[in-house]
Amino acid sequence: MMTINWILHQSKGLAYLAYMRHGRSLATIAPNVGRIKNAVADSTFPTPQQPPMKPVAKESIHAFDAEIMQAFSLLHIKGVEKPPVSLPSLLRQYDDNAGRAIRAKLLNESAPSLSRRPPLANGSFRSNGLTLVAHVVSDGQEDEIALASGFFIQPKGMRPMLVSCAHTLEQIRHSLLLDSAQSKSCTIIFSSDTDYFTAGEITASLPSSDIAIFSIPEEPITPYTLPVSMYPVPIDTSIMMPTFPHGKTTLLESTRLEWTKGKVWGYRDFSGRAAEPGSYDSLNHLLFMPPPVPGMSGAPLIEETSGAVIGIVTGSRMLSRVEGVRGWATPSETIFEVFELL
């Protein structure tokens, strides 16, 4: 009999939500680093207590799972001559290319033209400049999937690249299925309702900022790219953030998208101290409200007025009992650290 568990893990103020099924495990991560069913426990995450289970619609989970696994099978059939890049290879690139500079320039679009602004229309999750990123490993008997969001950027003179969070890669790294000689694995990027392809390589990564940048294939794919701002916005700036229709809480329940209004709540440095834009403070983390829903890690935060990306969602954090939970993001200016200056 299939059983479904919702497990909320909390440690050091970070939270993540994992969905687990016997024989198959899907994980949708809301914050920095997560671990799934067969993972090796990380010393920074003590064993959590399991809260009461919440009901999940099995039909929607099964359909969504089947869609990803069907794409996984078709990509491996198509890739007989040139198989998809495996997760172990991507993980080596993630480590080797940490902090690597990409020999290209990324245009600062803090005030993009109307034609460059994202549509921000309710509808398909993948028709608004967003992507679904699925890290998949299967040994033929068991499958494990780690889900995240992402968006495309356009470096000058290069193919578009995908920006996503890094902690789902850290999560799938500890899957025991990767140790099996029979296992196949890859990262699938769903760029529209019908188009999907595998990640080419991890061109650069910033593990401390929870960012991974992927190349995409040379095939005739024309992804919708988003404008990125180099400048931090003031506190209380209105932003638009992706979420799901009322009553749907995760990618496993809905692949449709709604945009909701939020605001920038504050900034923190690497030590967690409050930081101010326009000062000499190091702006390593952007706090926002309302907190993101699971599955939105890697999604963009967009300034409502300009339409530019000003942050990359990494999760949520409990600041204190008084302040409550806040959304956690990496300021978009961090992306420019891996590109040449204009």
Side-chain angles (χ1 to χ4, degrees):
M1 178 178 180
M2 181 184 297
T3 61
I4 306 171
N5 297 330
W6 279 36
I7 303 178
L8 178 66
H9 296 218
Q10 285 188 308
S11 175
K12 294 188 176 181
L14 296 174
Y16 69 96
L17 193 63
Y19 300 83
M20 300 184 181
R21 274 201 278 177
H22 292 311
R24 186 164 295 179
S25 176
L26 298 116
T28 304
I29 308 302
N32 271 335
V33 178
R35 298 291 181 264
I36 49 180
K37 177 181 175 184
N38 291 325
V40 178
D42 188 89
S43 59
T44 60
F45 285 83
T47 302
Q49 294 183 345
Q50 180 174 333
M53 290 192 300
K54 301 178 182 180
V56 182
K58 289 191 291 186
E59 294 80 6
S60 62
I61 290 181
H62 177 74
F64 192 77
D65 185 17
E67 179 184 350
I68 293 175
M69 293 311 300
Q70 180 182 25
F72 178 81
S73 298
L74 290 174
L75 285 167
H76 278 84
I77 293 173
K78 292 179 181 178
V80 172
E81 296 181 2
K82 186 180 179 182
V85 180
S86 67
L87 283 174
S89 294
L90 288 173
L91 286 165
R92 284 192 295 271
Q93 295 167 4
Y94 170 74
D95 294 331
D96 294 343
N97 294 334
R100 173 181 178 264
I102 299 174
R103 299 184 65 83
K105 297 177 180 180
L106 182 65
L107 181 65
N108 171 34
E109 296 183 88
S110 56
S113 63
L114 288 175
S115 64
R116 286 285 291 144
R117 297 183 184 183
L120 301 182
N122 295 344
S124 168
F125 173 78
R126 292 158 272 183
S127 64
N128 289 266
L130 301 181
T131 65
L132 172 66
V133 181
H135 307 296
V136 186
V137 56
S138 174
D139 65 359
Q141 299 297 320
E142 290 186 303
D143 314 319
E144 291 189 4
I145 306 171
L147 297 175
S149 302
F151 59 97
F152 292 105
I153 59 173
Q154 181 61 73
K156 192 173 181 179
M158 293 189 70
R159 293 273 300 159
M161 293 182 174
L162 175 77
V163 177
S164 187
C165 63
H167 64 255
T168 45
L169 272 171
E170 294 283 1
Q171 168 206 1
I172 203 73
R173 179 198 293 271
H174 297 281
S175 170
L176 296 182
L177 292 182
L178 290 177
D179 297 330
S180 171
Q182 289 74 39
S183 288
K184 296 180 179 179
S185 63
C186 67
T187 292
I188 308 174
I189 300 168
F190 293 84
S191 61
S192 71
D193 288 332
T194 56
D195 294 333
Y196 55 84
F197 48 89
T198 58
E201 65 177 16
I202 295 181
T203 310
S205 65
L206 294 169
S208 61
S209 298
D210 199 4
I211 290 178
I213 299 178
F214 297 81
S215 67
I216 63 175
E218 294 293 334
E219 299 173 13
I221 299 168
T222 309
Y224 187 99
T225 61
L226 298 183
V228 183
S229 174
M230 182 185 289
Y231 305 123
V233 297
I235 294 172
D236 289 330
T237 294
S238 293
I239 59 174
M240 299 299 290
M241 50 188 292
T243 185
F244 298 107
H246 179 69
K248 305 294 185 180
T249 58
T250 74
L251 281 168
L252 298 179
E253 294 180 274
S254 174
T255 56
R256 294 189 63 78
L257 174 73
E258 290 182 355
W259 289 89
T260 186
K261 183 181 290 189
K263 72 173 184 177
V264 174
W265 192 83
Y267 292 89
R268 293 289 188 270
D269 62 15
F270 264 128
S271 300
R273 295 185 294 252
E276 293 288 337
S279 68
Y280 289 104
D281 294 341
S282 177
L283 306 179
N284 301 109
H285 306 286
L286 183 156
L287 281 65
F288 62 94
M289 285 292 292
V293 295
M296 285 294 104
S297 289
L301 296 178
I302 296 177
E303 184 183 9
E304 183 181 25
T305 303
S306 69
V309 175
I310 54 92
I312 305 98
V313 176
T314 57
S316 59
R317 168 173 279 185
M318 171 69 76
L319 298 184
S320 68
R321 292 186 178 181
V322 175
E323 295 174 310
V325 177
R326 296 289 183 267
W328 209 252
T330 298
S332 59
E333 62 178 307
T334 307
I335 299 175
F336 290 86
E337 292 180 10
V338 301
F339 289 95
E340 296 178 349
L341 295 176
L342 289 173

